[in-house]
Amino acid sequence: MTVIRYILVILLSYVLGCSNMALYLSKLRGVDMRKGGSGNLGASNAMILMGWKAGIIVAVHDIGKAVVLAKHFCPGLPLIGAAAGVACVLGHMFPFYLRFRGGKGLASYLGMTIALNWKFALIVLAVVAIVTLITDYIVVGTVTTVILVPTYFGITAGSVLLASILCVATVAIIIKHKENYVRIFNGTEIGLR
């Protein structure tokens, strides 16, 4: 019965994670986010194409859904918060109704981290901001984030299983940003400055 509960929570978290505010706002405003900016259905591209208010709305939605799912689904089950959070991140990145082409997952990943340990999440945000400012590339901050999180939780919780669950989302996000690495190598990636 416990295995069925895990499966149901993970499936429901994936489906709810597929909710994409960037898509909803772009439809309302008649903006094709696939053909503008980075072509990505996420908060940063929403900000580029529809303004900072739209970007904030999308970011709050993407972070919030992960916080709710990772924090409140069956809290009595061991590691269910991490599993639900990862499923939410994967739902955001690979929504079934968009042919598995969604956002890049960072906002939902941060939401999952906030749900698991909000104090550590604040430290991660500070580190990411500093790394991004130093390197001039958001993707470097993103990769730093997704590497720090499973490392921290694996060490502090003494759980290889927890780190492994989180690494599923980490690997997905690192792979999803492969085009950014190519652009950095070619000198065509857009920096902050």
Side-chain angles (χ1 to χ4, degrees), residues 58-172:
V58 172
V60 168
H61 172 268
D62 293 347
I63 291 169
K65 67 184 177 184
V67 169
V68 170
L69 292 172
K71 192 86 173 165
H72 300 294
F73 263 164
C74 300
L77 293 176
L79 304 179
I80 196 63
V86 167
C88 175
V89 172
L90 296 178
H92 177 77
M93 294 173 69
F94 308 107
F96 65 91
Y97 64 95
L98 292 173
R99 289 185 268 185
F100 304 100
R101 293 178 58 225
K104 291 193 173 179
L106 180 63
S108 294
Y109 194 95
L110 288 172
M112 174 189 69
T113 306
I114 290 167
L116 296 175
N117 185 329
W118 68 269
K119 292 179 182 176
F120 174 66
L122 292 178
I123 294 169
V124 167
L125 285 171
V127 169
V128 170
I130 292 167
V131 169
T132 300
L133 288 171
I134 290 171
T135 64
D136 195 34
Y137 295 119
I138 294 171
V139 68
V140 179
T142 298
V143 171
T144 303
T145 299
V146 299
I147 290 172
L148 277 177
V149 170
T151 303
Y152 170 82
F153 284 109
I155 291 171
T156 57
S159 173
V160 174
L161 181 57
L162 174 58
S164 299
I165 291 168
L166 296 173
C167 276
V168 172
T170 292
V171 170

Side-chain angles (χ1 to χ4, degrees), residues 104 178-190:
K104 291 193 173 179
K178 63 183 182 296
E179 292 174 2
N180 297 86
Y181 316 138
V182 172
R183 287 196 297 267
I184 288 174
F185 181 77
N186 292 333
T188 57
E189 177 77 342
I190 298 171

